[in-house]
Amino acid sequence: MRLSHLTEVTTSPGRQRTSIQRCAQRLGFTLIAEASDLGVPARTMSPFERPALSTWLRRPDAYEAILWSHVDRAVRSVAHMSELLEWSRQCSTTLETGQPLGVTPQADGDAIRHCMNLAYAAEQETRAISARLTSAHEVLRATGRYGGGLVPFGYKKAPHPSGIGWCLAPDPETVTVVRAIVDDVHSGLSLVAIAHKLETAGVLVPRDRHAQLQGRPPPGGRRHGRDFERFRWTAGSLCKILRTPALMGHRVHKGMTVRDAEGSPVLIGPPLLTEDEFRALQDALSARSNGTHPKGRETSLLIGVAHCTGCSGRMYFAAWKAYAYGDYVCRAPARGVTCPAPAGIRADWLDEYTVSRYREAFATDGEVTRGQLLRDGVRVTVTKGRSGGGPERLAGPDTSRLTFTIASRP
């Protein structure tokens, strides 16, 4: 089963399940499992990238056929249909839908052409829907009406004064939070410290607050293909809130204020900050940075490979202005968490250590790439070292702090 957008009122999953069960009975199949990808768009995500279905596509020997209620639940593009048909032929797996469509590994040219025609029709339908939605949202932006999506923090959905559609109104609970955040910025508190303060107070992040206002049970959910028990405040999420002109009640599109034919901002709700207050806030945020940042390496070898022992999170490359080298460091604060023992280590040392251990394990002298390390399940953990310096610390890494493993074997 698949559905692009999941809501509490949708009946599509149940209807899909019923159609699949009838199809299985008609064909004499026994259903052994269900792959449910709800909230997953077929236009941009192929069957081999979907969280539930992809796990079964990697196990073609575990079943004889895959059933969908309709072809557009399988694919919405000709390219994805081509990939699926090729996989079916190689794995000797039958593809069926509740509609009159069935493809066996021995399917002839007519059946293949029929599949491609259906995929083309689904792709054209998706493009037409996208064009209609784009046009509708352009009208909503021009008239200052709320067109759906995540409500800017500090606001809630309210009936439009015209009586048609929706606009935004200040949310008393989060307006107080916004004001407190602005005051903390002007007092000199860092965004990381403010995020920690909000976490300690149990304030809901914008996404969870939006879900609460919509009557959905927060916290947590799915983001970027991962499930979270709850979402956390970070310096990045705070920066998005504080930098958006929506704080002045402006309609915003792609981060910019939407303006009418005369160049005036289109308002979608009452302002939380005046223009002078918003400008002062931007000046305070900009004053914290001189606008120049050291350029990081184009490719960091160990991103996704190096992890901090203290919090098990990934370590990221950080460049330093005063040194020719950079470090891999724990970035727990950026994820909204506190690491009990944040680790850091010179990047060139850790790169050399990892490559050396990899070559020993695989008996190779060739170039080692990040793709190879990730593909082979290499993981390097770094434990926090002692503070202070000295000549002995410039000789190379303290390998007692490092652990090198490959997949499930040490």
Side-chain angles (χ1 to χ4, degrees), residues 204-271:
L204 293 177
V205 299
R207 182 166 175 170
D208 285 343
R209 176 59 178 168
H210 177 69
Q212 187 182 61
L213 290 172
Q214 294 293 103
R216 298 196 300 269
R222 191 171 186 82
R223 177 188 286 169
H224 305 313
R226 295 175 55 198
D227 292 316
F228 294 85
E229 292 184 3
R230 61 184 296 269
F231 297 114
R232 297 179 178 274
W233 284 98
T234 65
S237 61
L238 276 173
C239 192
K240 289 180 181 179
I241 293 172
L242 298 174
R243 289 291 193 181
T244 176
L247 291 174
M248 297 183 288
H250 292 188
R251 184 70 168 94
V252 177
H253 180 58
K254 295 184 178 179
M256 303 296 292
T257 294
V258 177
R259 300 183 179 276
D260 59 21
E262 298 178 354
S264 300
V266 175
L267 299 180
I268 198 171

Side-chain angles (χ1 to χ4, degrees), residues 152-155 169-171 174-175 178-179 246-249 269-274 277:
F153 193 67
Y155 289 94
D171 173 24
T174 52
V175 165
V178 171
R179 280 288 181 183
L247 291 174
M248 297 183 288
L272 304 185
L273 300 179
T274 66
E277 289 174 328

